[in-house]
Amino acid sequence: MARKDVTPRKRGNGSFKKFGIGLLGGLVGGMLAIGLFFYATDGVGTNSSGTTEGNTDTSGNVQVSNVQYDVDSDVTSAVKKVQNSVVSIINLQNVSQNDPFGGLFGTEQSEGNEGDNDSSLQPASEGSGVIYKKEGDSAFLVTNNHVVENQNGLEVVLADGTKEEAELVGSDAYTDLAVLKISAENIDEVAEFGDSSALKVGEPAIAIGSPLGSDYANSVTQGIISSLNRLVESTNESGESVSINAIQTDAAINPGNSGGPLINIAGQVIGINSSKIASSGTEGVSVEGMGFAIPSEDVTTIINQLETDGKVTRPALGITMVNLSSISAQQQEQIIKVPDSVKAGVVIAGVNNATPAEQAGLKQYDVITKIDGEDVEDITDLRATLYKKKVGDSMEISYYRGDQEDTTTVKLSVDESILKQE
């Protein structure tokens, strides 16, 4: 019985004590919560600030709280670092003064003006670019070749809106790159290039440029590195082959962004935006988030040559080519006659006289399968490997002549400006 009397009292006293402690804890917690609330709304910290001062409407009935935040992040810091070096580029072309509508209503000349060939420069297209060097009285910027293609004059719009006349230093259709030169008088900042070979899939990527033209200059879009080493091939307006070992990104890239920088989170240029896939397949399936940039590692190599020579010099074999995969089974059996085990390679359609290919003993219908021990599946592979060489270099070519495999060493003694057969 004693235990029955004592036990309830102990429980009652314990409950009272716990209730008191709980109440005290609740009061303290509430005070802390209120304190934290005022701490947050007062914006105490390094990245934000605010005020609870408000305005009232004319009737004095509605109070509106004005809260302002000063946001700093890795992205804003990266953009700030390179933004002032990004420019818009206007491609100027000749337009007949007799046709102010640029051929919209045909090309017939008005009566009494036959033979009048006067022309004036008019904006034909716009793109983007980034200033990478300031030297003496000149500043140099890089953009895409297709941005300046067919130009009769070039104009650059700086980040502050200042317009500068630009000179084309050199361009390269194959990598879709071009270098321009402008006066350095109004140039205070240049971009820093990063190492594209160190990129990781999934890391942040930021595109800056002028989508749809200079009206939207210095637009910023953010995404990630979606993939690396994407082979992107196309043909430009002049019918020249374009081949880029590209960075793929889902940062929005639109017409006008071409030539602008793709930057990393440190504000370094890791690529030059070049193209996007908008639709795919015969049915034109819409595609989103597939943009491509030329890696900075390739860009720096090309622009150094363009600055020095105004062009990129590449070695030539002196052959015409066709992919083995495009040869019909009947032609392969009757003409090429390689073993059935050979499924890919490049067929030599013709060999020019006194060329590196002829001097190395290569002949029509030989099928090139390897260069320097690396497999060659098609013309793209062959060109990519060949264009890593310089005039004067040598390379080892493995090939089939009928069912016999052989190897020869080719001395690359001429460049493609002399022989454009390959």
Side-chain angles (χ1 to χ4, degrees), residues 9-31:
R9 284 197 294 270
K10 287 184 178 180
R11 288 177 179 173
N13 290 338
S15 299
F16 178 78
K17 290 178 181 178
K18 291 178 180 179
F19 173 76
I21 292 170
L23 178 61
L24 180 60
L27 290 172
V28 172
M31 292 174 68

Side-chain angles (χ1 to χ4, degrees), residues 16-67:
F16 178 78
K17 290 178 181 178
K18 291 178 180 179
F19 173 76
I21 292 170
L23 178 61
L24 180 60
L27 290 172
V28 172
M31 292 174 68
L32 286 172
I34 293 170
L36 288 173
F37 171 78
F38 283 109
Y39 178 90
T41 55
D42 283 342
V44 180
T46 58
N47 291 334
S48 62
S49 63
T51 176
T52 56
E53 294 180 1
N55 297 324
T56 58
D57 64 9
T58 54
S59 65
N61 294 327
V62 180
Q63 184 174 357
V64 180
S65 178
N66 293 329
V67 181

Side-chain angles (χ1 to χ4, degrees), residues 99-354:
D99 185 6
F101 299 102
L104 181 62
F105 299 108
T107 58
E108 292 184 5
Q109 296 178 329
S110 58
E111 186 177 352
N113 287 322
E114 293 183 7
D116 188 354
N117 293 320
D118 290 343
S119 62
S120 61
L121 293 178
Q122 298 291 337
S125 61
E126 294 190 33
S128 304
V130 59
I131 301 167
Y132 65 86
K133 185 170 80 171
K134 183 178 178 180
E135 187 175 77
D137 295 332
S138 299
F140 294 84
L141 60 99
V142 60
T143 185
N144 287 143
N145 175 68
H146 76 259
V147 169
V148 301
E149 195 172 19
N150 299 322
Q151 58 83 26
N152 299 116
L154 294 166
E155 195 170 64
V156 168
V157 184
L158 304 181
D160 63 0
T162 303
K163 290 186 177 181
E164 299 280 356
E165 184 177 341
E167 174 189 343
L168 179 63
V169 175
S171 61
D172 181 51
Y174 189 73
T175 56
D176 196 25
L177 290 171
V179 170
L180 308 185
K181 183 169 67 174
I182 60 175
S183 168
E185 182 179 357
N186 297 308
I187 306 302
D188 298 318
E189 299 179 30
V190 298
E192 174 187 328
F193 277 74
D195 183 3
S196 59
S197 67
L199 292 175
K200 297 177 181 178
V201 173
E203 72 171 273
I206 305 163
I208 309 178
S210 306
L212 303 182
S214 53
D215 286 346
Y216 297 96
N218 258 301
S219 292
V220 178
T221 56
Q222 182 187 10
I224 61 170
I225 301 296
S226 303
S227 187
L228 301 168
N229 302 316
R230 293 292 199 199
L231 182 61
V232 179
E233 295 182 293
S234 60
T235 302
N236 64 19
E237 292 182 3
S238 301
E240 298 168 299
S241 295
V242 179
S243 183
I244 301 167
N245 195 30
I247 300 167
Q248 182 183 332
T249 179
D250 67 345
I253 295 175
N254 292 293
N257 274 116
S258 293
L262 185 71
I263 66 174
N264 61 17
I265 206 66
Q268 299 171 320
V269 178
I270 53 171
I272 297 298
N273 299 319
S274 179
S275 61
K276 66 177 291 186
I277 296 177
S279 62
S280 179
T282 56
E283 297 181 0
V285 177
S286 180
V287 177
E288 295 291 341
M290 292 190 69
F292 301 94
I294 307 162
S296 59
E297 190 176 25
D298 296 339
V299 172
T300 52
T301 299
I302 296 299
I303 62 179
N304 285 334
Q305 293 182 61
L306 293 178
E307 269 192 54
T308 303
D309 303 322
K311 63 179 181 179
V312 176
T313 300
R314 295 186 174 90
L317 283 175
I319 62 174
T320 53
M321 303 174 288
V322 62
N323 290 328
L324 178 64
S325 59
S326 65
I327 303 294
S328 69
Q330 182 180 15
Q331 289 175 321
Q332 289 192 34
E333 182 179 350
Q334 295 178 356
I335 302 174
I336 309 302
K337 299 179 181 179
V338 295
D340 293 339
S341 58
V342 180
K343 304 294 184 183
V346 174
V347 180
I348 298 178
V351 180
N352 286 1
N353 295 328

